[in-house]
Amino acid sequence: MVESKRTSIPVPAALPQLLAYILANPNPARPVFGMATNGDEFVFLKLLIQEDASEYDVSRTFSLFPRRHELGEVLRILKRLGEVITD
């Protein structure tokens, strides 16, 4: 799942909506992954649905701002998620 917002909206504001999309997963047997972005920042979310309790985890914020240049790391994460999903 991907949730994108305008650059003027902080990425954490997209997390509740992304989590709601992920909770609607029709295949709860497998973990679900999501990404929220505003074009400048990226946050990844993972949800594992279990009978007794669901667990989720949120990554740190990855930034494309001039001092951080983390696009390469974001691309590595997306590539790894693609591998996990296709397995």
Side-chain angles (χ1 to χ4, degrees), residues 3-81:
E3 176 61 28
S4 64
K5 298 291 185 189
R6 292 183 306 217
T7 305
S8 61
I9 299 175
V11 171
L15 293 179
Q17 189 171 3
L18 179 60
L19 188 56
Y21 292 154
I22 288 175
L23 284 169
N25 175 27
N27 185 10
R30 297 187 63 174
V32 182
F33 302 94
M35 178 182 77
T37 183
N38 65 2
D40 290 333
E41 298 178 324
F42 299 82
V43 174
F44 296 93
L45 194 136
K46 176 183 176 182
L47 176 68
L48 179 59
I49 299 174
Q50 299 173 346
E51 282 187 32
D52 53 342
S54 297
E55 295 179 18
Y56 74 95
D57 196 12
V58 179
S59 74
R60 69 177 180 85
T61 301
F62 295 89
S63 177
L64 301 184
F65 289 118
R67 291 189 169 173
R68 297 183 68 186
H69 294 297
E70 297 179 316
L71 182 58
E73 195 163 350
V74 169
L75 294 175
R76 279 191 294 279
I77 292 168
L78 290 172
K79 182 179 177 181
R80 179 65 184 132
L81 287 175

